[in-house]
């Protein structure tokens, strides 16, 4: 019999964590000033990307979108590629890094991009103009609070993490990532399934994913497994093992069943996904929740069913094929 460790046993070793946003900035008071241009997006640093891969909280598609949005500040040398592979990068992630090197990031002493002389001498009309700007037009504050929330989870401060993720969500309510992490925090740190489900469904409704930690069965008895994350979105269901070696992606149209198991792994609260792999051919993929609780599998099924009501265009590259290990 295997022992499936809980998610709470994970350890994070860097302040540059989930969402590969480079440094997790500390909160600081800024002098008021006229905002003339949006702050440039911070390129992703190698430590931040490797930590994100180890946490496995973003699906491959979500991670690639972040790499394309931010770029990276490191070249894909042989050494860096090996570091990414060791952290669980897939070939698609490696290629995204290769194509999005934007040069090394340069620390700026003028984070707000204010004009010289702005600040205390700024007039009231400029201050009023600033007050009328969108809360977070460039998304930079969102990423800062998101990273601080992840750092709080690393320090076993779930209440502080919830505060930061909630702030990020308020800055950009259309971005699903903070809602996904709120769901994850409530589920695994607060053991509040109702709150977790509410936020995960919000993430799905915005086109994002609900992430669940699972063990994938290799032999039909759960005596040989790999651990990873299962991502449920309106378009598909995907899995990426923590080592990046086993991956699974199936469009909703190809999924024939998403149900609890009556026998295989039932003692672990297991469930299976039956996928059409060819003409008149199907294959079962068995998963057990990392907490080994049947209630978590029931949550996964509810999220899958709810995602079916939020139909979005299929992600590029998955419209006509399913990828399995």
């Amino acid at each position: 019999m295997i022992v499936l460790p809980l998610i709470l046993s994970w350890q994070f070793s860097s302040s540059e964590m989930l969402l590969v946003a480079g440094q997790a900035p500390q909160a600081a008071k800024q002098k008021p000033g006229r905002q003339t241009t949006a702050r440039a997006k911070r390129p992703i640093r190698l430590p931040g990307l490797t930590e994100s891969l180890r946490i496995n909280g973003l699906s491959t598609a979500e991670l690639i979108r972040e790499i394309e949005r931010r770029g990276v500040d490191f070249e894909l040398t042989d050494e860096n590629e090996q570091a990414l592979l060791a952290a669980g990068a897939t070939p698609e992630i490696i290629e995204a890094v290769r194509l999005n090197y934007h040069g090394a990031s340069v620390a700026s002493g003028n984070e707000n991009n204010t004009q010289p002389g702005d600040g205390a001498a700024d007039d009231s009309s400029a201050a009023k103009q600033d007050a009328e700007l969108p809360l977070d037009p460039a998304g930079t504050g969102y990423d800062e609070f998101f990273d601080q929330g992840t750092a709080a989870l690393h320090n076993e401060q779930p209440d502080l993490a919830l505060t930061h993720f909630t702030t990020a969500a308020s800055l950009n309510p259309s971005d699903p990532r903070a809602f996904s992490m709120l769901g994850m925090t409530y589920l695994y740190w607060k053991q509040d399934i109702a709150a977790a489900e509410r936020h995960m469904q919000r993430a799905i409704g915005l086109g994002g994913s609900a992430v669940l930690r699972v063990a994938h069965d290799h032999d039909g008895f759960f005596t040989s497994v790999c651990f990873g994350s299962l991502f449920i979105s309106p378009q598909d269901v995907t899995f990426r093992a923590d080592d990046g070696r086993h991956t699974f992606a199936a469009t909703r149209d190809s999924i024939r069943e998403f149900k609890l198991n009556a026998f295989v792994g039932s003692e672990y609260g297991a469930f299976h996904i039956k996928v059409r792999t060819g003409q008149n051919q199907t294959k079962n993929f068995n998963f057990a929740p990392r907490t080994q609780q049947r209630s978590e599998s029931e949550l996964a099924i509810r999220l899958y069913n709810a995602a079916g009501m939020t139909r979005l265009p299929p992600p590029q590259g998955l419209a006509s094929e399913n990828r399995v290990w």
Side-chain angles (χ1 to χ4, degrees):
M1 179 179 296
I2 61 169
V3 176
L4 307 181
L6 295 176
I7 188 173
L8 296 181
S9 65
W10 299 349
Q11 297 295 320
F12 305 117
S13 60
S14 170
S15 62
E16 295 176 295
M17 295 197 284
L18 192 64
L19 200 65
V20 298
Q23 291 180 321
Q26 299 296 322
K29 293 183 179 180
Q30 300 290 345
K31 293 182 179 180
R34 184 176 301 146
Q35 191 93 8
T36 58
T37 59
R39 284 183 287 177
K41 299 180 182 69
R42 297 184 180 184
I44 299 165
R45 296 182 175 184
L46 180 62
L49 182 53
T50 55
E51 282 295 331
S52 180
L53 287 164
R54 292 190 181 102
I55 292 169
N56 207 356
L58 293 174
S59 69
T60 298
E62 290 169 322
L63 198 54
I64 289 174
R65 281 197 296 270
E66 285 304 298
I67 293 171
E68 291 174 344
R69 182 172 74 90
R70 292 177 179 271
V72 299
D73 75 344
F74 59 93
E75 295 186 75
L76 192 64
T77 62
D78 289 343
E79 181 180 0
N80 288 342
E81 182 172 353
Q82 289 304 310
L84 292 173
L85 291 172
T90 63
E92 297 92 339
I93 294 171
I94 294 293
E95 183 63 15
V97 170
R98 189 189 313 278
L99 295 176
N100 288 278
Y101 170 57
H102 291 180
S105 60
V106 179
S108 171
N110 191 15
E111 284 291 335
N112 281 330
N113 291 327
T114 55
Q115 291 291 335
D118 285 348
D122 196 16
D123 57 36
S124 60
S125 63
K128 181 178 180 181
Q129 181 181 9
D130 286 346
E132 294 173 350
L133 289 173
L135 285 175
D136 192 25
T140 49
Y142 180 101
D143 292 326
E144 291 174 2
F145 280 107
F146 192 97
D147 290 336
Q148 289 179 33
T150 305
L153 283 184
H154 164 57
N155 292 324
E156 296 298 331
Q157 297 175 299
D159 293 327
L160 181 59
L162 292 173
T163 298
H164 287 316
F165 290 137
T166 300
T167 301
S170 70
L171 288 173
N172 189 356
S174 65
D175 192 316
R177 293 170 295 156
F179 293 106
S180 179
M181 288 306 300
L182 282 167
M184 205 172 184
T185 305
Y186 275 114
L187 180 59
Y188 295 110
W189 275 267
K190 306 297 284 184
Q191 292 79 49
D192 188 337
I193 291 182
E197 182 172 4
R198 184 169 65 252
H199 287 94
M200 288 177 173
Q201 288 204 15
R202 181 70 181 274
I204 289 172
L206 292 170
S209 299
V211 56
L212 299 166
R213 294 294 294 170
V214 297
H216 167 246
D217 170 47
H218 292 175
D219 60 6
F221 300 99
F222 280 94
T223 56
S224 175
V225 300
C226 66
F227 296 103
S229 294
L230 188 74
F231 303 93
I232 300 172
S233 80
Q235 307 98 329
D236 55 22
V237 176
T238 66
F239 169 83
R240 187 175 72 243
D242 291 337
D243 62 8
R245 296 178 182 178
H246 286 177
T247 61
F248 160 86
T251 59
R252 293 190 65 91
D253 290 342
S254 70
I255 296 175
R256 295 294 177 258
E257 287 183 357
F258 195 125
K259 295 182 177 180
L260 290 170
N261 284 5
F263 301 104
V264 176
S266 59
E267 65 269 36
Y268 306 124
F271 60 94
H272 69 272
I273 304 174
K274 180 181 288 187
V275 178
R276 174 174 52 81
T277 58
Q279 188 173 7
N280 299 322
Q281 294 181 332
T282 60
K283 182 175 181 179
N284 275 2
F285 296 91
N286 293 304
F287 298 95
R290 197 71 178 258
T291 60
Q292 303 182 48
Q293 298 298 314
R294 181 186 176 93
S295 59
E296 189 180 344
S297 291
E298 292 171 340
L299 170 63
I301 293 170
R302 290 196 302 273
L303 291 169
Y304 172 77
N305 291 334
M309 305 298 292
T310 307
R311 302 309 299 268
L312 300 173
Q316 186 176 1
L318 285 179
S320 61
E321 64 175 350
N322 302 295
R323 292 170 293 144
V324 297
W325 56 79

